[in-house]
Amino acid sequence: MTAYYGELCTKMYESDKSMAEGPELSFYLSYVKGRKVKVLEPMCGNGRMLIPLMQHGVDTDGFDISEDMLKVCKEKAVKLNLKPDIFQAKIEEFNSSKKYDLIMIPYGSFSLLPDSLVNKSLQNLKNALNEGGKMLLTIVEKDNKIEEVSEWTETNRKELDGQTIIEYRKIAYDDETKILHIQLKYDAVGEGIVERTELMDFPIRLYNPGEFNRVLKDSGFRQITVHEVRDGYGDGQSFPVYECMK
């Protein structure tokens, strides 16, 4: 069974990455705190950024492709008496009658899009921005430390909801397409028996430094600035956030 952020993957993700905090959250809050702005978070997943923003009084909508991720997001929101406007959608098909002052995609979710969907997705987001609105978009840049893994290798193990969930992965890089192909396998184990397995393809488009700047310019965005934000998914990790205007 292949699922995109299915139930087991979502449980594992939520156990590690439930809520944004620290320098990453502070960075995004610096664009909205104390201002009356309407924010959209495409690819919002389990609400790790959306919910903390709402807790700080920021009017935030979100959407994601994964039904399981959105379910977790809604459950967390209910416990905190929050009522986010979140819905299921693909970014390359997104069409909004609403207009937003700020659109943000934290961490590297946008790099899940292959080149064939990038321009259409950027145009959809641009169309949803108010004139003079900003976008904060994070991509994954290529470094020289790619280690390919040809056999299933255990990368995480958690005791969740009375069962053991084990994550395995394989990694291969295609230099022609610049895509890092990550295959993920999640086994739910109870009393030593694998009760359920989820498989997921997780292709990440790796950009060379400066390459994404040109992509944004070609899509009509302007005033492009790149910020380096540290400690996003964990201490010591950093990633580039592209700030641009419609």
Side-chain angles (χ1 to χ4, degrees), residues 35 74 116 160 210:
R35 301 185 181 97
K74 290 173 183 174
S116 59
L160 299 168

Side-chain angles (χ1 to χ4, degrees), residues 10 14 46 67-77:
T10 297
E14 172 65 17
N46 64 339
E67 190 176 341
D68 288 288
M69 280 286 203
L70 291 174
K71 182 181 175 209
V72 169
C73 182
K74 290 173 183 174
E75 288 170 352
K76 287 195 293 193

Side-chain angles (χ1 to χ4, degrees), residues 1-57:
M1 173 182 156
T2 301
Y4 190 76
Y5 278 111
E7 184 183 353
L8 299 182
C9 174
T10 297
K11 281 183 179 180
M12 187 72 89
Y13 186 96
E14 172 65 17
S15 72
D16 284 335
K17 306 174 184 75
S18 180
M19 298 280 231
E21 56 186 9
E24 183 194 23
L25 178 59
S26 297
F27 172 80
Y28 289 100
L29 281 175
S30 71
Y31 286 84
V32 295
K33 216 167 179 186
R35 301 185 181 97
K36 191 165 179 57
V37 293
K38 181 74 176 169
V39 178
L40 174 68
E41 186 189 347
M43 308 171 102
C44 66
N46 64 339
R48 64 174 289 274
M49 183 63 69
L50 184 145
I51 288 177
L53 288 177
M54 292 192 72
Q55 286 180 301
H56 282 84

Side-chain angles (χ1 to χ4, degrees), residues 146-150 169-173 180-183:
I146 296 173
E147 292 183 19
E148 297 189 294
V149 180
S150 58
R169 67 178 58 191
K170 294 179 184 178
I171 301 172
Y173 179 64
L180 185 68
H181 291 279
I182 301 176
Q183 289 180 285

Side-chain angles (χ1 to χ4, degrees), residues 43-238:
M43 308 171 102
C44 66
N46 64 339
R48 64 174 289 274
M49 183 63 69
L50 184 145
I51 288 177
L53 288 177
M54 292 192 72
Q55 286 180 301
H56 282 84
V58 182
D59 185 5
T60 311
D61 296 346
F63 68 86
D64 198 90
I65 191 175
S66 168
E67 190 176 341
D68 288 288
M69 280 286 203
L70 291 174
K71 182 181 175 209
V72 169
C73 182
K74 290 173 183 174
E75 288 170 352
K76 287 195 293 193
V78 167
K79 289 176 184 174
L80 295 166
N81 293 316
L82 299 172
K83 296 180 180 177
D85 183 1
I86 55 176
F87 51 94
Q88 190 173 18
K90 294 179 179 180
I91 191 169
E92 66 270 21
E93 298 173 359
F94 173 65
N95 185 18
S96 174
S97 57
K98 287 185 184 179
K99 297 291 183 184
Y100 297 89
D101 304 301
L102 179 68
I103 294 177
M104 58 170 67
I105 304 181
Y107 206 60
S109 298
F110 195 82
S111 272
L112 290 170
L113 297 175
D115 288 350
S116 59
L117 299 180
V118 166
N119 185 61
K120 175 61 176 168
S121 299
L122 287 174
Q123 290 304 321
N124 291 346
L125 299 183
K126 189 178 168 192
N127 291 339
L129 275 174
N130 282 319
E131 284 302 321
K134 282 189 175 182
M135 184 166 70
L136 297 170
L137 197 153
T138 309
I139 48 92
V140 182
E141 290 189 338
K142 185 176 184 294
D143 60 27
N144 297 317
K145 303 173 187 172
I146 296 173
E147 292 183 19
E148 297 189 294
V149 180
S150 58
E151 302 294 331
W152 286 120
T153 302
E154 182 178 329
T155 48
N156 206 348
R157 178 184 290 248
K158 295 271 178 145
E159 299 294 327
L160 299 168
D161 300 329
Q163 60 185 184
T164 303
I165 300 178
I166 307 171
E167 176 191 87
Y168 303 88
R169 67 178 58 191
K170 294 179 184 178
I171 301 172
Y173 179 64
D174 185 331
D175 195 48
E176 188 173 331
T177 59
K178 299 176 185 171
I179 289 179
L180 185 68
H181 291 279
I182 301 176
Q183 289 180 285
L184 296 171
K185 181 171 76 164
Y186 295 89
D187 283 345
V189 180
E191 297 182 359
I193 298 169
V194 176
E195 299 171 340
R196 186 176 165 194
T197 296
E198 268 180 17
L199 295 170
M200 186 172 82
D201 289 323
F202 200 77
I204 300 175
R205 168 64 157 92
L206 301 182
Y207 290 88
N208 292 320
E211 183 181 1
F212 196 66
N213 199 304
R214 293 190 295 274
V215 172
L216 290 173
K217 281 183 178 177
D218 289 346
S219 294
F221 288 95
R222 57 192 177 87
Q223 294 187 21
I224 301 167
T225 307
V226 185
H227 306 272
E228 197 71 19
V229 178
R230 296 194 61 78
D231 303 330
Y233 267 15
D235 292 341
Q237 292 191 24
S238 66

